[in-house]
Amino acid sequence: MSRPFTPSRPGQRPGPRRFSRPGEPERRTDGHVLLYGLHTVEAALSNPRRVIHGLKATRNALARLMERDLTLPVEPEMVDVRTIDRLVPRDAVHQGVLLETEPLEPLPLKELGQQARLILALDQVTDPHNVGAILRSAVALGADAVITTNRHSPEETGVLAKAASGAVDLITHLSVSNLAKALTELTDEGFTAIALDSAGEADLEAVDTGAKTILVMGSEGKGVRPGVRAACTTLARLDMPGAIRSLNVSNAAAIALFVVSRHQAARGK
């Protein structure tokens, strides 16, 4: 059940809402997350799955939110910028708004809709900035869902949600305990599973991505694990024309999604 923030006494620092190490966001002891930034908060407020516990905002930020014709599930608490500064990571661009909410629980694989055509699977990608940026690209490029592993994946935090710029609330997030098994199930249902790897035998541009595609991206250090690669239909690479031959995983995901979405659009004509 939603409840507002409990205001602290003037000059009192709200103990449990402080991060234990400034600049490093952590999950609160009550399991809630603090989301910040106008796009992030707007998307969260618009998501019926969200359980909202409180909203802090400056006068200007609240006015900008209300311009979006949002229905607020809780009474907002008007605060100054410094109050929010104390509650978010150092140098966070919060734009004067902070939302206290339950994290969104990932869905099981069985919740994947029958109409899904483009899925992104992350094999133990752990950096929250990268995962947030990947979610943003997935929404922008029309992916139907993102799959992560139960372990070795980042929890939802304000940092991840801010990097995603609202995408956390705009895409289906599925979580599996065994990614290789999940890929096998999906390929049995007609998906083409493509693992991105610098050692791939063909450039992704030249690969038949199929009508239903899963793009598998590996972790920042180890890449796609051998067992996961073995469960994929093919191994592909992204050929870079410049002197640097590899990309950050979030950039590689964006390019790969663009290539596959273009292939699928051409196939549909």
Side-chain angles (χ1 to χ4, degrees), residues 40-132:
T40 302
V41 169
E42 178 186 3
L45 289 171
S46 302
N47 185 353
R49 291 184 60 215
R50 281 284 182 187
V51 177
I52 307 298
H53 292 283
L55 173 65
K56 287 182 184 289
T58 63
R59 187 177 301 277
N60 288 338
L62 185 60
R64 293 177 68 182
L65 280 177
M66 298 313 295
E67 288 173 358
R68 291 157 166 79
D69 197 29
L70 294 170
T71 299
L72 302 183
V74 294
E75 185 70 24
E77 181 185 350
M78 204 82 71
V79 297
D80 61 23
V81 170
R82 289 174 298 178
T83 299
I84 299 178
D85 284 341
R86 290 194 295 267
L87 300 172
V88 299
R90 186 183 296 129
D91 299 326
V93 183
H94 54 71
Q95 299 175 292
V97 62
L98 183 72
L99 191 71
E100 182 182 2
T101 176
E102 302 280 344
L104 288 176
E105 292 299 326
L107 302 174
L109 187 64
K110 65 181 180 181
E111 295 297 325
L112 180 66
Q114 293 295 317
Q115 302 305 311
R117 292 294 178 269
L118 178 54
I119 302 171
L120 188 63
L122 305 182
D123 185 20
Q124 298 189 350
V125 179
T126 57
D127 184 273
H129 295 90
N130 280 337
V131 173

Side-chain angles (χ1 to χ4, degrees), residues 99-180:
L99 191 71
E100 182 182 2
T101 176
E102 302 280 344
L104 288 176
E105 292 299 326
L107 302 174
L109 187 64
K110 65 181 180 181
E111 295 297 325
L112 180 66
Q114 293 295 317
Q115 302 305 311
R117 292 294 178 269
L118 178 54
I119 302 171
L120 188 63
L122 305 182
D123 185 20
Q124 298 189 350
V125 179
T126 57
D127 184 273
H129 295 90
N130 280 337
V131 173
I134 288 169
L135 292 176
R136 184 174 184 174
S137 295
V139 171
L141 292 164
D144 298 294
V146 171
I147 299 175
T148 62
T149 52
N150 294 344
R151 299 178 60 191
H152 305 294
S153 295
E155 293 183 328
E156 181 185 345
T157 62
V159 168
L160 187 153
K162 186 64 168 67
S165 193
V168 170
D169 288 272
L170 296 174
I171 194 164
T172 299
H173 175 200
L174 308 169
S175 183
V176 297
S177 58
N178 187 321
L179 183 55

